[in-house]
Amino acid sequence: MSTKHFVSNIDKLVLDALEALTLANPDVLYYKNDKVIAKKSHNPQTHVAIISGGGAGHEPAHAAFVGEGMLTAAASGWIFASPSVAQIERAIVAVAGPKGVLLIIKNYTGDIFHFSLAAEKARSRGISAEVVVVGDDVAVGKAKSGKVGRRGLAGTVLVHKVAGAVAARAESTLKEVVAAAKEVADNLVTVGVSLNHVHIPGRKIEEENIMAEDEAELGLGIHNEKGCVRLQPIPSLPDLVKTMLDQLTDKTDADRAYVDFATAESVVLMVNNLGGLSPLELGAITNEVVGQLTSRGLRPNRLFSGTYMTSLDGPGFSITLLKASDAVLKYLDAPTKAVGFTPGSVVTADSASRVIVESAAQKTEHSHTNAHAKPSILDPAKFASSVKLACEKVILAESQITQYDTVVGDGDCGYTLKRAAEAVLAFVKSSSTNISPTVSTLQDLAETVENNMDGTSGAIFSIFLHALATSTSRFETVLDENDWGSAAAEALKTLYAATPARPGDRTLIDALTPFVETLVAGEGVKNAAVAGRKGAEGTKGMNASLGRAVYVDAKGYDRVPDPGAVGVAELVEGLAGL
């Protein structure tokens, strides 16, 4: 749970965020005293008005959905609190006219009371007003929800979108807009999950809301209320998504079978960020959900993936499914100028075919196809054994290297080295019975590292290994330690031409260079590995002059050695059998 905020005054936070919408969308007005956002260009004489709202903390819902093709106005309460009747009346007065007004609300007691009363007061003034209540949650179940009914969650946004598109047509009547909204609301199901509750700025931390590191909560609402069940340990993403989709689609679950998707003309999927997920993680989640839905025979025809209805910075997501008619799809596809709405995409049957597995770069054909034309420079068994031990040492050291890099870098060095080592290990194992004794093996090894190791370290290793393959190609017999030293010296020279890094700069060069120099001096690979380790340890207390480590607190340099140099030390010790 994140408890640090740039703005701790929650009243100012809400008011300023609403005012910012006037900067993002020139077609909105901000009634500051009433916390109402309204569409400036709306003509109540010719178009039905659509109003929604609720507590703040769900952004972009609801105010950022005001715009052409979506909401006409939105009333915001304070964080997680329903707007007052007076606020909603202000929104109605601002946009409603002869064509009438539809109020779309989520199924929460405060919203229902306040919006229903505001609608009744509008009717008393001669304004046609209707209310559609959205309850799309399936987690609680029919038995427990009883008379209260299902909570309103992110599926409400799809009701906004469809109703807004219908209302954008001047010929549409209030009755038609209401019917479209109800059609969507009646065919929605949503379930959410989160890794923790949220902290409301300026308020004390509720200890009972703090979840353990290995817990997740399934079936939570959007107002920081507790979910239906805590999951411990946290399931894998595939298992978690399966559980959520079971709740959404299982026709045999009498307590949750709200919508029968077997008869759906089309299925719409929304994967909603509850506020705290990175786009990277949300993308992986979306891919998993689409894959599992498709395997169930429910390939979505439309996909909405993004941040639509949040719970402040909640570290979770929700899945919404909509059983949609062709007419509903048309309105979902209609354009909108609402600044907070991320448009959906059309998912077609050939979407999977657009995933290209092969590398775009043509794979170089090496000499193992005509190995008889190249001299044998390797002892395949000895080579495989040494490389295997080196990779295993790097993999085992991942957590320690990562810890070092967390102190003086961005925390990815250990995993980067581990991923490359695992790829090389797989290459060696897959070729164990057919490793070519020629230079082609070194070329393939260099390409394996190049294709599986990112960042600056990946570039340095790749340059060195490709240069090593080139320098060994001049030999005619199996290399001994002196030959390897000579080849490594040439490779280091090539690497030096590509980077300004030298010993003393606090990089992996501090371990690689003494290893190569000791090998060249004829002192043997074991002594060379010892020199490499000494060079790595010598970076502790050394100031960085290259790389991302330049920007970190210099105090960290005294606490840990350079992570990349430690990785090289582990690698060469493995090669030496230490």
Side-chain angles (χ1 to χ4, degrees):
M1 178 189 297
S2 175
T3 59
K4 295 197 296 185
H5 310 279
F6 289 108
V7 182
S8 295
N9 183 325
I10 58 175
D11 290 0
K12 180 175 173 56
L13 175 64
V14 173
L15 294 173
D16 286 358
L18 288 170
E19 187 170 336
L21 290 174
T22 64
L23 305 175
N25 187 351
D27 191 31
V28 299
L29 298 171
Y30 175 34
Y31 297 88
K32 188 169 184 175
N33 289 340
D34 298 293
K35 300 194 293 297
V36 167
I37 295 289
K39 182 171 173 282
K40 184 167 62 174
S41 62
H42 174 70
N43 186 344
Q45 303 296 320
T46 59
H47 288 77
V48 175
I50 300 178
I51 297 174
S52 189
H58 305 307
E59 289 70 23
H62 306 79
F65 295 148
V66 173
E68 185 68 33
M70 213 158 169
L71 299 181
T72 320
S76 174
W78 300 114
I79 292 179
F80 296 159
S82 174
S84 68
V85 175
Q87 289 178 256
I88 302 163
E89 283 189 277
R90 162 39 88 189
I92 293 173
V93 169
V95 298
K99 293 281 286 190
V101 59
L102 168 62
L103 308 182
I104 300 173
I105 58 176
K106 300 181 297 300
N107 186 25
Y108 292 100
T109 303
D111 289 347
I112 292 175
F113 283 160
H114 293 166
F115 278 86
S116 296
L117 180 53
E120 191 58 43
K121 294 176 75 171
R123 296 185 195 109
S124 71
R125 296 194 299 271
I127 299 174
S128 297
E130 297 291 340
V131 178
V132 169
V133 180
V134 182
D136 51 323
D137 180 29
V138 302
V140 176
K142 299 175 183 177
K144 187 173 182 179
S145 59
K147 293 181 180 180
V148 176
R150 297 192 284 164
R151 296 173 295 187
L153 300 175
T156 309
V157 177
L158 298 179
V159 181
H160 293 163
K161 180 64 183 69
V162 170
V166 176
R169 302 163 58 241
E171 62 269 24
S172 293
T173 65
L174 177 59
K175 182 178 180 179
E176 290 170 333
V177 175
V178 170
K182 285 185 174 179
E183 179 183 348
V184 178
D186 290 344
N187 289 282
L188 277 175
V189 287
T190 298
V191 66
V193 67
S194 185
L195 299 175
N196 215 329
H197 287 262
V198 299
H199 176 250
I200 299 175
R203 297 186 185 175
K204 70 175 184 178
I205 301 171
E206 299 294 337
E207 295 297 329
E208 63 269 22
N209 281 344
I210 299 177
M211 294 165 60
E213 285 295 315
D214 62 343
E215 286 183 325
E217 204 157 88
L218 180 66
L220 72 169
I222 54 173
H223 298 95
N224 216 26
E225 66 267 46
K226 292 182 179 180
C228 297
V229 60
R230 283 201 174 180
L231 307 174
Q232 190 179 37
I234 300 170
S236 67
L237 179 62
D239 289 344
L240 179 59
V241 169
K242 179 183 182 302
T243 298
M244 296 171 77
L245 292 181
D246 285 344
Q247 290 196 359
L248 294 170
T249 64
D250 187 357
K251 292 184 293 183
T252 65
D253 184 352
D255 199 37
R256 294 185 174 86
Y258 293 99
V259 178
D260 182 4
F261 288 94
T263 60
E265 292 179 32
S266 298
V267 175
V268 176
L269 166 65
M270 172 183 280
V271 182
N272 171 60
N273 183 357
L274 285 172
L277 298 185
S278 68
L280 180 69
E281 192 166 16
L282 187 68
I285 291 167
T286 299
N287 193 59
E288 180 66 32
V289 176
V290 171
Q292 288 201 30
L293 264 182
T294 302
S295 69
R296 292 171 181 243
L298 293 174
R299 177 179 58 81
N301 303 86
R302 296 294 185 276
L303 168 64
F304 294 84
S305 178
T307 304
Y308 297 94
M309 185 171 288
T310 63
S311 179
L312 290 174
D313 59 349
F317 66 96
S318 61
I319 302 173
T320 297
L321 296 179
L322 167 63
K323 178 181 177 181
S325 63
D326 291 340
V328 166
L329 288 186
K330 180 181 72 173
Y331 293 125
L332 288 173
D333 293 342
T336 177
K337 294 182 180 179
V339 296
F341 185 76
T342 302
S345 59
V346 177
V347 182
T348 59
D350 69 340
S351 292
S353 68
R354 296 198 292 273
V355 178
I356 309 301
V357 178
E358 293 79 12
S359 172
Q362 182 178 3
K363 181 173 174 61
T364 305
E365 291 294 331
H366 291 314
S367 59
H368 49 269
T369 56
N370 58 343
H372 63 277
K374 296 287 185 180
S376 296
I377 62 170
L378 303 174
D379 178 333
K382 185 177 180 181
F383 176 83
S385 176
S386 297
V387 170
K388 181 174 179 289
L389 182 57
C391 290
E392 289 172 344
K393 282 186 67 67
V394 170
I395 292 169
L396 286 173
E398 181 270 326
S399 60
Q400 183 67 72
I401 296 172
T402 296
Q403 191 272 323
Y404 290 160
D405 198 39
T406 301
V407 174
V408 294
D410 52 8
D412 69 340
C413 184
Y415 184 72
T416 298
L417 288 166
K418 178 184 177 183
R419 185 171 59 241
E422 288 175 337
V424 171
L425 201 56
F427 161 72
V428 171
K429 288 180 178 178
S430 66
S431 309
S432 59
T433 59
N434 193 32
I435 289 182
S436 169
T438 70
V439 71
S440 64
T441 293
L442 292 179
Q443 292 168 331
D444 285 341
L445 182 68
E447 282 198 2
T448 299
V449 171
E450 180 183 344
N451 293 332
N452 290 278
M453 193 173 186
D454 301 329
T456 303
S457 295
I460 291 175
F461 272 95
S462 297
I463 292 170
F464 182 81
L465 290 174
H466 277 291
L468 183 65
T470 300
S471 61
T472 56
S473 63
R474 61 183 171 82
F475 290 92
E476 299 289 336
T477 58
V478 175
L479 278 66
D480 59 22
E481 287 189 356
N482 290 332
D483 295 332
W484 279 113
S486 174
E490 291 184 27
L492 185 62
K493 183 178 179 181
T494 300
L495 179 59
Y496 273 7
T499 176
R502 296 294 185 271
D505 287 331
R506 193 183 168 95
T507 70
L508 62 82
I509 296 295
D510 286 289
L512 181 61
T513 297
F515 169 77
V516 172
E517 289 178 345
T518 304
L519 199 59
V520 171
E523 297 180 28
V525 67
K526 293 187 184 297
N527 286 329
V530 171
R533 172 63 71 177
K534 184 178 179 180
E537 294 300 327
T539 60
K540 187 175 182 180
M542 187 185 293
N543 287 330
S545 57
L546 291 169
R548 201 166 291 161
V550 169
Y551 308 111
V552 305
D553 187 352
K555 293 178 181 178
Y557 301 149
D558 294 330
R559 293 160 51 195
V560 300
D562 179 74
V566 173
V568 170
E570 295 289 341
L571 178 68
V572 297
E573 285 178 349
L575 291 175
L578 297 179

